[in-house]
Amino acid sequence: VGFYTNISANLYAARGNRDRDYYSVQLRFDNNSEDAESFLILQQSERKSNDKLMDESTFMHGRYILVGEEAVNWEVFVQYSENPFRNYKKRSVLGGGLRYELSKSARLGAGLLSEDEADLAGQSKTTERLGFYIHNSFKVAENISFKPTIYFQPSLDDFENDYKASMILALDFKVNENFNIKMQYSSFHDSDPPMLAEKSDESISTMFSYNLN
């Protein structure tokens, strides 16, 4: 219960035959009470090589969950992203559904969402999807936690041929009460991506985060 703020950053720079710069910054705000939980994530990243922009992305995700003594709770969420190097000009999502507490650390979600996408060629489409996710947290050691999350979003109109799936595997190292180090593997698959885009993307990152409260 309370309001919390967390900032995470990943910075990289190299100079020599090729100058390379990369940064990723994320802000997370959590506001929890006895009746509701909510959070907002804001993220910006950019990668340059010899001062030439190679990759950039913007991401926003907000979620509001009604909580109580029952294991099943209602939730609504909104998401917006821009990633031109994945050939998305923009992608916005609005949805809601049910979240089921499998245990103190595990969550299972199911719901409906409306997705609006626009590619770099100016083509836009709206897709209604089912949305499923599962998240858990396992304590590996006294100060180390493993946190896997899996998302699956099939189209209502074409369940087998139009779906998005992603997986995030995070290993959190708690240095002290405020400072954490996170190693994360991410995988994203789109069975029907924008023109000229690859169906799958993978990334590995190390993030340093600090709780401002």
Side-chain angles (χ1 to χ4, degrees):
V1 177
F3 181 79
Y4 307 94
T5 305
N6 177 275
I7 183 170
S8 302
N10 183 1
L11 305 173
Y12 173 82
R15 296 294 182 269
N17 293 318
R18 177 177 294 180
D19 294 344
R20 289 171 292 180
D21 298 281
Y22 169 77
Y23 80 86
S24 177
V25 178
Q26 175 181 291
L27 281 171
R28 174 169 175 145
F29 306 94
D30 288 81
N31 188 21
N32 301 327
S33 67
E34 294 182 354
D35 300 319
E37 297 177 359
S38 61
F39 65 84
L40 175 66
I41 297 173
L42 305 172
Q43 186 177 39
Q44 176 72 35
S45 65
E46 183 180 280
R47 189 189 310 272
K48 289 184 176 181
S49 178
N50 292 331
D51 292 326
K52 181 180 180 181
L53 185 63
M54 304 300 294
D55 191 11
E56 66 176 346
S57 67
T58 301
F59 177 82
M60 184 276 289
H61 181 93
R63 191 173 292 258
Y64 183 86
I65 308 108
L66 293 172
V67 298
E69 297 182 358
E70 302 295 330
V72 180
N73 301 295
W74 290 98
E75 65 178 0
V76 294
F77 57 89
V78 60
Q79 182 172 304
Y80 178 83
S81 60
E82 297 178 0
N83 195 336
F85 287 87
R86 192 180 278 173
N87 285 1
Y88 287 107
K89 184 177 181 181
K90 70 176 184 67
R91 178 177 183 253
S92 58
V93 175
L94 177 64
L98 293 172
R99 186 187 74 167
Y100 180 64
E101 295 186 5
L102 301 173
S103 66
K104 289 184 178 180
S105 63
R107 306 286 186 269
L108 175 66
L112 294 170
L113 61 93
S114 178
E115 171 192 75
D116 290 315
E117 290 181 334
D119 63 21
L120 298 182
Q123 299 294 320
S124 300
K125 69 174 182 178
T126 299
T127 309
E128 310 302 323
R129 298 184 181 275
L130 294 170
F132 304 98
Y133 71 86
I134 185 168
H135 170 80
N136 206 347
S137 178
F138 303 93
K139 192 171 184 179
V140 179
E142 184 177 352
N143 64 331
I144 302 174
S145 298
F146 175 59
K147 299 179 179 180
T149 308
I150 297 174
Y151 298 92
F152 182 60
Q153 299 173 346
S155 167
L156 287 173
D157 295 329
D158 193 356
F159 193 95
E160 294 183 359
N161 298 311
D162 184 2
Y163 63 87
K164 289 178 169 64
S166 59
M167 177 174 62
I168 301 172
L169 305 178
L171 201 60
D172 281 2
F173 298 84
K174 186 177 181 179
V175 179
N176 55 43
E177 288 299 320
N178 292 321
F179 184 60
N180 283 19
I181 300 174
K182 177 189 290 186
M183 298 179 64
Q184 181 172 290
Y185 167 80
S186 302
S187 175
F188 175 79
H189 181 82
D190 186 349
S191 66
D192 186 24
M195 186 180 299
L196 303 179
E198 298 290 337
K199 289 187 175 182
S200 297
D201 275 303
E202 294 179 300
S203 66
I204 296 176
S205 62
T206 301
M207 301 288 290
F208 300 90
S209 66
Y210 187 81
N211 296 320
L212 300 179
N213 303 81

